[in-house]
Amino acid sequence: VMATAGLTGVVELFDLRKLQSKNSSKKPKSFATQAAGRSINSAYFSPSGTKMITTTQSNTLDILENSHTAKGVIKPMRRIKHD
């Protein structure tokens, strides 16, 4: 599983085994997304790969559980506000 995040405010999760070859003109399709609202500064997986944490420009830490098995839009199991 690979996560992408950035200025779009959306984390996208991709299954690397299902990506097309680099010669393909098709955009890879994510299997799950998490909308954070504002830009995402970082996204990290736990060592076990079952949890992911994202930090955002809206001053939140979003903790996602089992995101590697999710489908569609996923919501954080916990959102922590910080300064």
Side-chain angles (χ1 to χ4, degrees):
V1 175
M2 176 181 74
T4 62
L7 296 175
T8 62
V10 175
V11 175
E12 291 187 272
L13 299 175
F14 297 90
D15 184 339
L16 293 176
R17 299 169 298 178
K18 296 182 180 178
L19 292 180
Q20 300 291 324
S21 76
K22 65 181 178 179
N23 297 329
S24 176
S25 62
K26 294 180 182 177
K27 180 184 176 208
K29 179 144 176 61
S30 60
F31 66 84
T33 59
Q34 184 242 340
R38 296 184 66 191
S39 297
I40 299 164
N41 297 330
S42 59
Y44 295 99
F45 285 100
S46 66
S48 67
T50 60
K51 291 184 175 70
M52 184 172 67
I53 188 168
T54 62
T55 62
T56 70
Q57 286 292 329
S58 55
N59 297 329
T60 60
L61 300 171
D62 288 345
I63 302 171
L64 298 102
E65 191 166 24
N66 297 318
S67 57
H68 65 294
T69 60
K71 300 281 185 227
V73 177
I74 52 178
K75 296 192 185 284
M77 71 174 220
R78 184 152 185 218
R79 178 168 279 168
I80 302 168
K81 190 83 170 152
H82 68 86
D83 293 332

